């Protein structure tokens, strides 16, 4: 919430949503009854909300989020959500309530944009050959700021930097161009959950396309976010940004996720009334193997999944294992 809101007003708002609570001895955390695990004993107040930034965590069920938006979307009223956004939390263009601190990263010291590298260098030539073999263009190289480095860890890899919403480096991925080089993908050793890859390019008011990896993103329209993995839930900044802005979503995950993880992510998004369509990538394996035209056509054909008996079975299987904090 905005720092100009008094502690008393914050507590009044919390209690209007979650019922009576109590301020902890440290004067920062406010404890209320958790609406998720919903204890029968009303005196058990295990959902702890930080009054300085609204980050919250339940000590019983393990719920954790960086703002109250997910809980308000699921358990509050539209009035609560509107008040949280417009009066207590967000103004104007709905900037995030909580600023997540991500360790400051630096690219390799000798990082150089591929488009500006010496084309007579054999390694540079090899990287360009790989770029073209993946169906990417010189425009892609400039737009995504592909780079290279001669440092041992990053040599003969395409380095793809990521920038947050204000243009600060927040992550990068390095993809080996040689089949026998391990690991195929390498990246800085940081927590990926707070990262929205290349958020500088994202318009949250338009449909967000979610893919698994960075090289899947290159075949998709510009409003695409890679998950940097195969999970998505309340712990991830991408998830919270989608809820915060009321974004619609197109899921374009790898084909091998279709029967298990895709239904799980779909179900999680629909629990919060997110408008979701599915893009079937199974004929190609993943978006990275598609041409840009093929992906555009698949996006046009994307539909909200039909809740037939077969798909319901997939959802039931997905719900059998829940994400752990």
């Amino acid at each position: 919430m905005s720092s100009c809101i008094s502690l008393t007003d914050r507590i009044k708002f919390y209690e209007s949503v979650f019922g009576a609570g109590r301020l902890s001895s440290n004067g920062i955390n406010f404890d209320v009854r958790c609406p998720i695990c919903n204890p029968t004993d009303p005196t058990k107040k295990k959902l702890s909300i930080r009054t300085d930034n609204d980050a919250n965590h339940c000590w019983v069920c393990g719920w954790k989020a960086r703002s109250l938006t997910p809980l308000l979307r699921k358990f509050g009223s539209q009035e609560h959500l509107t008040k949280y956004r417009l009066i207590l939390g967000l103004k104007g263009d709905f900037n995030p309530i909580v600023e997540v601190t991500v360790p400051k990263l630096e690219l390799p010291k000798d990082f150089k944009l591929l488009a500006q590298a010496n084309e007579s260098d054999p390694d540079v030539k090899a990287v360009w050959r790989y770029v073209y073999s993946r169906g990417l263009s010189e425009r892609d190289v400039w737009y995504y700021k592909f780079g290279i480095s001669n440092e041992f860890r990053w040599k003969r890899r395409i380095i793809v930097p990521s920038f947050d919403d204000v243009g600060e480096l927040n992550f990068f991925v390095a993809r080996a161009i040689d089949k026998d080089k391990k690991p195929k993908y390498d990246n800085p050793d940081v927590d990926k959950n707070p990262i929205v890859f290349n958020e500088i390019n994202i318009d949250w008011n338009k449909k967000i396309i979610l893919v698994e990896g960075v090289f899947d993103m290159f075949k998709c329209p510009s409003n695409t976010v890679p998950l940097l993995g195969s999970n998505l839930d309340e712990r991830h900044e991408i998830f919270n940004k989608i809820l915060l802005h009321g974004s619609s979503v197109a899921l374009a995950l790898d084909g091998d996720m279709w029967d298990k993880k895709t239904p799980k992510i779909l179900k999680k998004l629909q629990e919060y009334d997110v408008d979701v369509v599915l893009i079937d990538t199974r004929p190609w394996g993943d978006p990275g193997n598609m041409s840009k035209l093929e992906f555009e056509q698949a996006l046009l054909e994307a539909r909200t999944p039909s809740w037939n008996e077969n798909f319901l079975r997939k959802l039931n299987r997905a719900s059998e294992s829940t994400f752990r904090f």
Side-chain angles (χ1 to χ4, degrees):
M1 294 188 204
S2 172
S3 59
C4 64
I5 302 299
S6 69
L7 178 59
T8 300
D9 287 339
R10 287 172 180 266
I11 290 175
K12 284 182 180 178
F13 178 77
Y14 299 151
E15 293 190 325
S16 72
V17 180
F18 305 109
R22 56 174 172 260
L23 191 64
S24 64
S25 58
N26 63 15
I28 298 176
N29 296 332
F30 190 72
D31 302 326
V32 297
R33 187 166 173 265
C34 177
I36 295 178
C37 57
N38 195 24
T40 55
D41 183 353
T43 65
K44 290 186 176 180
K45 303 183 187 302
K46 298 299 183 180
L47 178 67
S48 183
I49 306 170
R50 285 188 62 102
T51 58
D52 55 349
N53 62 13
D54 294 337
N56 50 93
H57 173 253
C58 178
W59 298 101
V60 175
C61 66
W63 164 273
K64 185 183 295 184
R66 296 181 180 88
S67 82
L68 290 177
T69 302
L71 289 176
L72 294 180
R73 286 290 296 268
K74 195 168 186 178
F75 300 104
S77 65
Q78 184 59 47
E79 181 182 357
H80 288 137
L81 187 59
T82 300
K83 186 174 182 180
Y84 187 62
R85 284 180 167 179
L86 300 180
I87 302 176
L88 300 178
L90 304 171
K91 294 182 179 180
D93 60 353
F94 287 173
N95 290 322
I97 298 163
V98 181
E99 293 186 3
V100 179
T101 301
V102 179
K104 185 173 179 59
L105 293 179
E106 292 184 356
L107 290 165
K109 291 182 179 180
D110 67 339
F111 174 88
K112 181 177 291 187
L113 289 173
L114 175 60
Q116 297 179 330
N118 182 1
E119 294 184 4
S120 64
D121 185 317
D123 286 342
V124 174
K125 288 182 178 179
V127 172
W128 274 108
R129 284 195 298 271
Y130 182 82
V131 167
Y132 292 138
S133 75
R134 293 297 299 257
L136 303 177
S137 66
E138 186 174 350
R139 179 194 178 279
D140 295 318
V141 169
W142 279 106
Y143 183 79
Y144 292 107
K145 300 176 177 59
F146 287 6
I148 57 173
S149 168
N150 282 320
E151 291 184 18
F152 178 78
R153 180 176 178 181
W154 312 113
K155 189 176 178 63
R156 290 183 67 84
R157 292 179 179 273
I158 298 175
I159 300 173
V160 187
S162 166
F163 301 92
D164 63 19
D165 58 343
V166 295
E168 294 289 334
L169 181 76
N170 63 356
F171 197 64
F172 65 88
V173 171
R175 208 284 185 194
I177 65 171
D178 302 309
K179 292 182 179 180
D180 59 348
K181 188 161 186 174
K182 304 295 181 183
K184 182 189 298 185
Y185 291 95
D186 200 358
N187 52 257
D189 303 318
V190 298
D191 181 9
K192 297 177 184 177
N193 289 355
I195 296 167
V196 178
F197 196 91
N198 266 349
E199 188 176 1
I200 193 171
N201 297 333
I202 299 302
D203 182 350
W204 296 101
N205 296 314
K206 297 180 179 179
K207 186 183 293 292
I208 306 298
I209 300 169
L210 296 180
V211 296
E212 186 173 345
V214 171
F215 272 73
D216 296 321
M217 173 183 68
F218 300 146
K219 300 301 180 65
C220 306
S222 58
N223 223 40
T224 299
V225 182
L227 300 181
L228 304 177
S230 57
N231 293 330
L232 181 67
D233 61 19
E234 296 89 350
R235 295 169 297 176
H236 298 82
E237 188 68 6
I238 299 170
F239 187 88
N240 283 277
K241 288 289 182 70
I242 288 169
L243 298 188
L244 191 66
H245 296 275
S247 309
S248 60
V249 169
L251 278 180
L253 306 180
D254 291 5
D256 59 6
M257 295 174 63
W258 187 262
D259 288 330
K260 294 183 179 180
K261 291 195 173 182
T262 293
K264 182 182 289 187
I265 292 173
L266 171 69
K267 187 173 184 180
K268 178 60 67 174
L269 288 166
Q270 290 191 330
E271 283 179 5
Y272 291 93
D273 298 321
V274 177
D275 180 18
V276 188
V277 295
L278 291 182
I279 299 175
D280 190 353
T281 66
R282 288 177 294 175
W284 299 271
D286 59 57
N289 292 327
M290 303 169 73
S291 70
K292 294 180 181 180
L293 288 176
E294 286 172 334
F295 189 89
E296 287 178 8
Q297 183 59 39
L299 179 58
L300 289 174
E301 297 171 357
R303 296 290 183 271
T304 301
S306 58
W307 298 101
N308 56 39
E309 185 177 347
N310 183 49
F311 204 86
L312 283 171
R313 283 199 296 269
K314 294 178 182 179
L315 284 177
N316 289 334
R317 287 199 299 269
S319 64
E320 290 174 0
S321 58
T322 57
F323 293 119
R324 300 294 181 183
F325 291 91

